[in-house]
């Protein structure tokens, strides 16, 4: 997930007259939306929206579940509110997912914050 976060961080760091914009929906084709079928406003291409969708992907990978399309598109924080008991994940991973999927967009961390936090994790443990 750190490599995914770094990729999004890279896109967020682009600042030119072309202003790179993308909607990150995950790694597989079922998530990619390059040309949406509905009119999207600027929020749907915002940094905060990408952070929410990163949190959803992180949740899905950690718990091997699928968050519904409508929950992702509507930025439904309730979709990731419950921490499944299996598999167990570390508290710092769970807290990051929750912050990424905060109901209030301005409460979400930036991708720079996410990458810094993930790089600081001690992942040398054996579960």
């Amino acid at each position: 997930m750190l490599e995914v976060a770094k990729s999004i961080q890279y896109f967020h760091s682009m600042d030119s007259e072309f202003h790179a914009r993308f909607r990150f929906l995950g790694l597989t084709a079922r998530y990619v939306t390059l040309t949406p079928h509905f009119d999207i406003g600027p929020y749907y291409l915002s940094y905060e929206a990408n952070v929410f969708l990163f949190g959803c992907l992180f949740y899905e990978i950690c718990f091997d579940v699928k968050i519904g399309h409508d929950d992702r598109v509507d930025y439904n924080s309730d979709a990731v509110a419950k921490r499944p008991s299996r598999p167990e994940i570390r508290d710092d991973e769970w807290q990051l997912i929750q912050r990424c999927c905060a109901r209030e967009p301005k409460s979400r961390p930036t991708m720079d914050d996410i990458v810094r936090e993930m790089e600081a994790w001690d992942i040398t443990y054996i579960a």
Side-chain angles (χ1 to χ4, degrees):
M1 285 306 301
L2 177 58
E3 295 303 317
V4 173
K6 285 182 176 182
S7 298
I8 299 168
Q9 178 189 36
Y10 172 76
F11 282 110
H12 283 192
S13 72
M14 293 181 156
D15 187 16
S16 69
E17 63 186 71
F18 300 107
H19 298 287
R21 290 195 175 267
F22 70 103
R23 184 160 188 223
F24 172 76
L25 291 177
L27 296 174
T28 61
R30 69 184 169 123
Y31 291 99
V32 176
T33 304
L34 297 177
T35 308
H37 297 285
F38 53 91
D39 183 32
I40 59 174
Y43 174 73
Y44 288 96
L45 295 173
S46 71
Y47 298 133
E48 294 88 357
N50 286 334
V51 168
F52 180 89
L53 295 167
F54 172 79
C56 288
L57 177 65
F58 201 173
Y59 183 89
E60 289 176 311
I61 288 173
C62 284
F63 298 112
D64 194 26
V65 297
K66 183 177 184 297
I67 295 173
H69 175 75
D70 290 343
D71 286 329
R72 285 192 313 270
V73 171
D74 294 337
Y75 305 102
N76 181 3
S77 295
D78 294 337
V80 297
K82 184 178 181 225
R83 182 177 184 168
S85 59
R86 294 278 181 232
E88 289 185 30
I89 66 169
R90 298 162 20 142
D91 287 338
D92 51 6
E93 293 170 323
W94 177 247
Q95 291 165 3
L96 180 60
I97 290 169
Q98 293 301 289
R99 288 196 320 275
C100 288
C101 296
R103 192 171 309 278
E104 177 56 44
K106 297 297 180 191
S107 297
R108 298 175 193 152
T110 66
M111 288 311 298
D112 289 337
D113 295 334
I114 292 167
V115 167
R116 265 192 306 277
E117 182 173 336
M118 292 177 81
E119 286 177 331
W121 290 347
D122 178 12
I123 56 172
T124 59
Y125 74 96
I126 299 175

